[in-house]
Amino acid sequence: MSHEWRARVTETGMRHRIPRPRVTSSDIQAFTHPTLDTASQLGVHCFMGVSSRPDQETSLEPDFARTSWPGWRGRAREWGLVAGLIQAARDGRGGILLVEGRPGVGKSRLLDMAAITAAGAELGIARGTADELTQLIPLAPLKSALGEAGRDLPMRENAGVPYPADQRLLLVERLQEPLEQWVARQPVLLTLDDLHWTDAMTLLALRSMTRDLASYPLVWMLARTSGSGDTPCLDRLFDVLEEDGAIRITLKPLDARAVADVVTDVLGATPEPDVLALAGLVDGNPFMLVDRLEKLKGEGAFQITDGHARMVSARLPCAQAVTQERLAELSARTRHLLQSAAVLGRSFSVRDLAEMVGETTSGLLPTLEEAMSAGIVEPSGDELTFRHDLLWQAVVESIPAPVRRALHSDAGEMLLKRGGSAVPAAAHLIRSAGRGDASALLVLDQAAREVLRSSPQSAADLAMRALELTDPADSDWFDRAATAVDALTAFGRLPQAADLARAALSRASPFQAPRLRCALAHILLLSGRPADAVSEAESVLSQPDVPDELRGIAEWTVFWGLICLNDFQKGRQRAAAVVAAREQHADAAVVGALLMLARFAIVDEMIADSFAYLREALRIASSGDVEAIQRPYARLLLSLNCRAMRQFEAADIAIQAAEEEIKALGLTVLAAQPALFRSVLKLAAGRLDDAAAEAQTGMMIAEELGTRGFSRVGVAMLALIAMRRGDIDTAARHIERYESIQAAPGMLFGSVWEEWVMATVAEAQGDQDRAIEILHDIYTNKEERSWALITTPLTAAWMTRLALSTANRPYAQAIVGTAEHVARNNPDFPVFATTAAHARGLLHKDADALAAAADQPEPWARASAAEDLGALLATKPDSSARDRAVKCLDQALDGYESIGALRDAARVRARLRALGVRRRHWAQSQRPTFGWDSLTDTERTVATLVSRGLTNRQVAERMFLSPHTVSTHLRRMFGKLGIASRVELAGIVTEECPGLKDT
């Protein structure tokens, strides 16, 4: 650890240094030496050097004060950015540098020199490289960088089960946790090269980890080769990271000054024009420039006189590819050995190569020595690696395609004989297998099953390739199609999965069809098509001799589909029959029936019964024979019931338990749900900032995991929050986006809640008739009305007020009548008596009823009741009523402002002005925009725990939040406080709350 980093440590245990300004892309000269002359600064940094060989580079000892030296030219701006990020990490701040460029332009060299410099600055170093042949291995470059290669999850077969567990989130968490612990101890530089070859899981992990660890002194350098083919996922990652503040650079060919410096470094003399003309043949590509110069220098092509270099011959050499020239000079035996090595990958094991060519290791020594002397390969840890990607590609391209396929086949067979994972062998066989190659297809099958839980995209690629190579008449075609359906479903490619499932069903036997139909029903549920899902499940139930486990899954699907459709009548009798004869049905069917009955109980206004059904479903789901995908729903529905009853703590506990279950069971498709449920809960508790943070977290997870339909709930939440804050234009934009998203799949809050959000925004825009139209079914349908008033109690008063303001008194009477009926039927849940009193007070202008409604557990509803009472009293002629009106409106104003409901607060101020009372626009209770006092209670708690040295994950566990949400709070806090690191935050906490050190 550096002396500076050790220098100051807070009494709470956090490293603390004097804050410095945050480094941005404009600070390109911030860390260059002030005495460097102009010429030196023009030709700086990383051209890839005089040579990339270790014996020449270690003597350079680059530091922050130097921007140009032999072996490092032409990259002043880029080196300034790298040096700035490394220095910032020493100060406790992180950052991301995205590096792009053509092959040979110096990307890898930039990462190399950054690592050397960072090590000298006492940063921890983690380095990984993607490889064409490791694309099927989940998280391969990150595991290599972090030493986590042995921490894969154990395999668990899911034969006969249509819902494969998806362990992507757990894998990312297992990888992120040790990295977070590391960067909590010291600054770290993590470089990943050749990301154009990386796997989908690594891209997912990078998006998550760069965001969640943004508050730590962690510098990411991510490099990829541009123009390397179609990489939409990688393009999207780089674009998103840049939008979030990452610095993005494209390395261009070296300019004329840098080229001249390079030639001088290599030849030890100033180049004459003929030599510079030679350099022009490589178009400023530093690798090819150095390689060509060294080759010609060795051949005596230059004459050095009086410190100047010129060509011996006036004729320029042919501009052939320099890599091909190098290969042509090797002996035939060495060239052939390198071709076998190239098939094994950019880096390769000497043992693998010896086995591949049937030689002993000692027998390879002469040819390997020749290859290393020629600068083709070099040592890299325990392996050998091609010195540059261009050299590797040149060797690969020198192998005729039929020979290359045969060599890949040999490599695959060799790896298979060793046992263990089939994935490395599959990486070769997927390139060599021909149609009907039974042995290769079996390997692809095994590899697809291996990675199905950890990398569904890789599994889908393997399964689809195996399917392409399978003859349609092959008896294994159906099983491969079923595996591909599972993989495509887990990865979120639902339309493709559904199409393949239907194609497979047309060829399925009666024994095979039920499993695939269950899988198709599941796909349709996820696609937001519950009616079609019910139809598919019913077709399973209509068949004889369906296995009990599949029959139970199909029955559960029918119930859940009907719940999604709010089709209560169709499922009532069926659910009651299943529960009455539960011993004749699978546990999954019983759980589905109980969930259905819990919803019926709500419609029937029997809240206690609904809770009882849910708890029984939860008991069976936790201990019975129920599929993983079915287990969290009971807890999620229980949280909705608790929220509706304003039992906020119980709802939070249920959401936390569901979140832990979703993660443990690998239910990635539901991963966004806990944050979205928590968002609505935080809004009900009057914590708008927290509600927005949770909504953004849920939407982010949904976007990253391909379950974008769930974003609909998050967008609705953001619309409601924006409306409460008085930003009607933003709320309207959110509604437009909401309407463009297909219906959220699976678990919904229910159409009633989202319709109410849309109506509130329409009313805020002044379109009350549109609001009435949106809520028409609730006003006119008793079941819908009961459902709305029970699941979202504050709608009672709001809808009554809306109906009265639009001269729809019968609508208002219907709302009040239902609200009072619900309250009478559920005396054990006082929230309904309160909300009924509020609605009744509005309808009948009853001040006593409105006063009784002031005892609301929800802050916004409490302020709303005070406002309505104040508005009613303001219409009374006597002075005492006026005084009471002012008091009530003041209470409403304080309540609205305390939760940030600025639109409502503005309306109350207008009411007070009408009474001749003026209140300051910025009340004492309202938070400022910036500074410590601008932080919410949640943010202060996060800040306090972080200042004590807890990691994001530890803070999340203490506060019943997700690590994603903690990182969201930290980003918001950093903006409010004008800081960029945890150490700065710790200093502010120590200054603002000196007593914390004693707690």
Side-chain angles (χ1 to χ4, degrees), residues 603 605 777-787 818 821:
V603 175
E605 303 174 8
D777 288 346
I778 300 175
Y779 279 120
T780 58
N781 183 295
K782 184 181 183 303
E783 287 186 350
E784 292 283 345
R785 202 160 53 246
S786 296
W787 180 260
T818 301
H821 193 268

Side-chain angles (χ1 to χ4, degrees), residues 89 200 965:
T965 302

Side-chain angles (χ1 to χ4, degrees), residues 792-813:
T792 312
L794 59 80
T795 58
W798 192 91
M799 291 182 66
T800 300
R801 190 185 305 110
L802 176 66
L804 292 173
S805 67
T806 55
N808 278 291
R809 190 171 181 84
Y811 280 6
Q813 291 170 332

Side-chain angles (χ1 to χ4, degrees), residues 729-808:
D729 290 341
T730 296
R733 286 194 295 272
H734 284 311
I735 291 298
E736 288 177 4
R737 182 182 173 192
Y738 167 89
E739 292 176 328
S740 71
I741 301 172
Q742 290 186 350
M747 183 61 189
L748 298 175
F749 287 101
S751 59
V752 165
W753 185 86
E754 295 180 21
E755 286 170 2
W756 176 71
V757 172
M758 293 179 67
T760 59
V761 175
E763 187 270 341
Q765 291 175 301
D767 193 348
Q768 292 182 324
D769 290 339
R770 170 64 178 153
I772 287 285
E773 180 184 346
I774 292 170
L775 300 174
H776 175 268
D777 288 346
I778 300 175
Y779 279 120
T780 58
N781 183 295
K782 184 181 183 303
E783 287 186 350
E784 292 283 345
R785 202 160 53 246
S786 296
W787 180 260
L789 300 187
I790 292 173
T791 58
T792 312
L794 59 80
T795 58
W798 192 91
M799 291 182 66
T800 300
R801 190 185 305 110
L802 176 66
L804 292 173
S805 67
T806 55
N808 278 291

Side-chain angles (χ1 to χ4, degrees), residues 161-399:
V161 177
Y163 311 136
D166 179 354
Q167 299 292 302
R168 283 180 288 174
L169 294 180
L170 273 180
L171 281 177
V172 172
E173 182 179 302
R174 286 191 174 192
L175 205 59
Q176 181 170 315
E177 188 172 0
L179 177 58
E180 183 172 7
Q181 293 171 353
W182 186 12
V183 294
R185 296 191 300 269
Q186 74 169 125
V188 172
L189 169 70
L190 195 157
T191 72
L192 295 177
D193 202 359
D194 291 337
L195 284 180
H196 50 283
W197 277 324
T198 199
D199 62 289
M201 268 296 293
T202 294
L203 299 182
L204 173 66
L206 286 175
R207 180 67 192 106
S208 174
M209 294 165 74
T210 52
R211 180 192 55 246
D212 288 352
L213 303 180
S215 61
Y216 290 97
L218 172 59
V219 175
W220 299 84
M221 290 184 67
L222 310 178
R224 69 168 184 172
T225 295
S226 54
S228 57
D230 185 29
T231 55
C233 293
L234 182 57
D235 294 342
R236 187 160 53 249
L237 174 67
F238 270 47
D239 290 343
V240 169
L241 292 179
E242 186 178 20
E243 289 171 6
D244 285 352
I247 300 170
R248 189 170 185 169
I249 59 174
T250 300
L251 294 183
K252 303 292 187 182
L254 298 181
D255 60 22
R257 176 57 189 268
V259 167
D261 286 343
V262 172
V263 177
T264 301
D265 292 338
V266 174
L267 302 183
T270 303
E272 292 294 320
D274 58 346
V275 177
L276 291 177
L278 167 68
L281 294 175
V282 297
D283 193 27
N285 184 296
F287 171 76
M288 297 179 68
L289 173 60
V290 173
D291 210 86
R292 179 172 290 277
L293 289 171
E294 288 183 336
K295 178 178 183 297
L296 293 176
K297 181 181 178 182
E299 295 174 352
F302 303 110
Q303 179 182 352
I304 309 296
T305 306
D306 297 330
H308 289 263
R310 57 181 56 85
M311 300 292 297
V312 171
S313 170
R315 184 173 64 84
L316 290 176
C318 176
Q320 298 178 47
V322 63
T323 51
Q324 296 294 343
E325 293 176 5
R326 280 190 177 274
L327 295 177
E329 294 173 351
L330 299 173
S331 67
R333 176 175 169 75
T334 299
R335 283 200 308 275
H336 295 155
L337 182 72
L338 287 174
Q339 288 173 328
S340 296
V343 167
L344 294 174
R346 167 87 184 270
S347 297
F348 57 91
S349 158
V350 175
R351 174 195 168 197
D352 287 350
L353 180 59
E355 187 174 345
M356 180 95 162
V357 299
E359 269 275 17
T360 63
T361 303
S362 58
L364 297 181
L365 287 177
T367 49
L368 290 176
E369 184 176 353
E370 181 184 0
M372 286 189 285
S373 298
I376 307 297
V377 298
E378 61 187 7
S380 176
D382 296 332
E383 297 185 325
L384 292 178
T385 187
F386 284 86
R387 191 164 62 86
H388 196 279
D389 196 46
L390 287 170
L391 290 169
W392 178 42
Q393 291 289 356
V395 175
V396 171
E397 290 168 5
S398 72
I399 311 171

